[in-house]
Amino acid sequence: FNLEWARWFFDHLLPRVKVNHEKCSLCGTCVSHCPAGAMKVVDGRVRIDHRKCLRCYVCQELCPEGAVEVAGTLWDVIKY
């Protein structure tokens, strides 16, 4: 098992989540349900620590506003 390769794969091929701050109502659902503790409210905005994020997408599934979105990856560029 090569940890460096696994981290590269994780960072570059699995989609990241991002918060659309225009849609976000700061309800805290994503923050309270994140199993990795990767989401916090800082200065009135939800922030994601991508080093902690597990890419489980629970935050996206549970967000009542649809403000947590999946961002593109390198794979999106390569496959076309």
Side-chain angles (χ1 to χ4, degrees), residues 16-20 23 48 57 59-60 66-71:
R16 287 184 172 196
V17 292
K18 64 179 183 176
V19 177
N20 180 331
K23 291 182 179 180
I48 303 167
Y57 310 112
C59 53
Q60 181 197 26
V68 181
E69 303 169 347
V70 176

Side-chain angles (χ1 to χ4, degrees), residues 25-63:
S25 66
L26 295 173
C27 70
T29 300
C30 59
V31 174
S32 63
H33 286 87
C34 179
M39 304 183 89
K40 292 182 182 178
V41 176
V42 178
D43 297 328
R45 288 185 155 208
V46 174
R47 304 288 184 188
I48 303 167
D49 183 342
H50 290 287
R51 294 169 296 173
K52 290 182 179 179
C53 179
L54 302 173
R55 311 299 202 279
C56 67
Y57 310 112
V58 167
C59 53
Q60 181 197 26
E61 292 295 321
L62 296 179
C63 180

